């Protein structure tokens, strides 16, 4: 039982890092980035290509993936989402165009990775990192799991507190509540949007590197599967609540681990969709989300 709990915490930590980036952009600058999964995958793929030519330790591989994720997300904002938002006549039309644009952007890195790898899984075989296995109170743990758990929980709590207490975090929250009033108060939305997307991309790259180290390899389509899980986490926790994202990530991971422990592995993906349906029916604002008020 304790081993299953540890596995759920490790899986939830990866989900948390990935979902935080998606939630950060969606709940503050209003961008539901459907290219987030492709950013996750292509960041790990970039690190994979680098390690084929240069033997790097784990921190360097993670740094490459994080930098690649931040660059991809920044380019997506500058070349796609930014122009869409400037040309949109209203917020609702911008949301729809960004959603469709994100799907189109995601197809590009996916096609590149599938072409290079022939749709086969890829990993960091060229890395010098070797996971060490040890036991604590009967629990079997690797150094990879330890890094994932510490990074996931630390980053999750850090982003939550940063949004709640820092000046930039308060500005982002103001944009999420009322972007027009925030702009009148001197908040530079375009600069914050660029920084938010870069941060979200960096988190996607970090999640990609950590999951690849944990599993040994991921496939080009892995980002699409994780995107659905992140969507379920945000819906479950509540849009606008980073604390809700933290809880949602571990609830989803715990539910999936329980299903696997019951030898019902074919139902794992159904857990995400089931949580989305249940929350939308019973509590549309999520566990910790705020009710939305639209002005007329």
């Amino acid at each position: 039982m304790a081993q299953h709990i540890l596995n759920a915490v490790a899986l939830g930590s990866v989900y948390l890092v990935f979902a935080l980036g998606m939630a950060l952009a969606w709940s503050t600058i209003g961008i539901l980035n459907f290219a987030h999964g492709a950013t996750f995958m292509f960041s790990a793929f970039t690190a994979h290509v680098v390690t084929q030519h240069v033997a790097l330790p784990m921190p360097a591989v993670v740094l490459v993936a994080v930098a690649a994720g931040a660059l991809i997300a920044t380019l997506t904002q500058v070349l796609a989402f930014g122009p869409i938002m400037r040309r949109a006549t209203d917020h609702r039309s911008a949301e729809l165009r960004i959603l469709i644009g994100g799907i189109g952007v995601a197809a590009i890195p996916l096609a590149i990775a599938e072409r290079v790898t022939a749709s086969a899984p890829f990993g960091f075989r060229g890395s010098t990192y070797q996971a060490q296995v040890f036991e604590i109170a009967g629990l079997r743990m690797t150094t990879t799991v330890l890094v994932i758990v510490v990074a996931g929980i630390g980053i999750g709590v850090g982003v939550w507190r940063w949004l709640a207490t820092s000046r930039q975090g308060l500005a982002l929250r103001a944009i999420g509540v009322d972007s027009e009033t925030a702009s009148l108060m001197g908040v530079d939305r375009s600069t914050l949007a660029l920084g938010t997307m870069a941060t979200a991309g960096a988190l996607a790259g970090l999640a990609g590197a950590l999951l690849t180290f944990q599993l040994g390899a991921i496939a080009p389509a892995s980002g699409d599967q994780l995107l659905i899980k992140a969507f379920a986490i945000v819906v479950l926790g509540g849009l606008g609540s980073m604390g809700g994202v933290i809880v949602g990530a571990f609830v989803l991971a715990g539910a999936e681990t329980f299903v696997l422990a019951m030898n019902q592995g074919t139902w794992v993906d159904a857990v995400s969709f089931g949580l989305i349906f249940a929350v939308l029916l019973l509590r549309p604002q999520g566990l910790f989300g705020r009710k939305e008020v639209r002005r007329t």
Side-chain angles (χ1 to χ4, degrees):
M1 183 64 180
Q3 189 66 52
H4 291 317
I5 294 175
L6 177 60
N7 295 338
V9 171
L11 181 62
S13 297
V14 174
Y15 286 174
L16 174 58
V17 174
F18 180 81
L20 275 175
M22 183 177 178
L24 185 64
W26 191 9
S27 62
T28 57
I29 58 177
I31 292 179
L32 177 53
N33 182 12
F34 268 39
H36 195 62
T39 303
F40 156 88
M41 179 277 300
F42 203 75
S43 300
F45 173 73
T46 302
H48 158 74
V49 173
V50 172
T51 55
Q52 284 186 318
H53 299 86
V54 182
L56 297 175
M58 184 184 192
V61 175
V62 170
L63 184 61
V64 170
V66 167
L71 179 60
I72 294 169
T74 301
L75 290 175
T76 301
Q77 173 65 18
V78 172
L79 300 178
F81 295 160
I84 288 175
M85 297 186 74
R86 287 193 296 270
R87 295 174 183 175
T89 55
D90 55 73
H91 185 66
R92 283 184 174 272
S93 63
E95 287 180 338
L96 179 60
R97 293 177 185 178
I98 285 174
L99 192 150
I100 297 173
I103 297 174
V105 169
I108 299 173
L110 179 61
I112 295 173
E114 287 181 337
R115 178 65 181 271
V116 174
T117 65
S119 299
F122 55 86
F124 306 140
R125 293 182 179 178
S127 172
T128 59
Y129 172 74
Q130 296 292 331
Q132 304 296 319
V133 182
F134 56 93
E135 289 190 8
I136 299 178
L139 291 177
R140 185 179 178 85
M141 182 186 297
T142 65
T143 49
T144 306
V145 169
L146 183 61
V147 169
I148 289 173
V149 171
V150 172
I153 296 177
I155 291 173
V157 174
V159 171
W160 177 32
R161 295 305 303 159
W162 175 76
L163 270 179
T165 60
S166 71
R167 188 173 183 178
Q168 294 83 359
L170 293 174
L172 280 173
R173 290 168 58 199
I175 292 174
V177 174
D178 191 331
S179 59
E180 293 182 3
T181 302
S183 297
L184 293 174
M185 296 295 292
V187 176
D188 188 348
R189 188 186 189 283
S190 59
T191 301
L192 283 175
L194 199 62
T196 300
M197 285 296 292
T199 302
L203 289 171
L206 176 60
L210 294 178
L211 187 61
T212 305
F213 273 117
Q214 184 183 22
L215 300 180
I218 63 172
S222 298
D224 296 335
Q225 300 169 0
L226 202 56
L227 188 67
I228 299 298
K229 298 180 188 295
F231 188 76
I233 289 168
V234 176
V235 171
L236 175 62
L239 184 61
S241 173
M242 291 299 113
V245 173
I246 296 173
V247 173
F250 290 108
V251 168
L252 177 61
E256 291 185 350
T257 303
F258 174 76
V259 171
L260 285 172
M262 298 294 291
N263 295 320
Q264 300 292 330
T266 56
W267 288 90
V268 168
D269 290 336
V271 172
S272 302
F273 291 101
L275 282 175
I276 292 174
F277 291 144
V279 172
L280 290 178
L281 287 174
L282 301 177
R283 189 176 173 83
Q285 72 269 29
L287 297 177
F288 303 99
R290 60 178 183 269
K291 291 186 178 180
E292 183 178 8
V293 177
R294 289 192 178 272
R295 298 179 178 180
T296 57

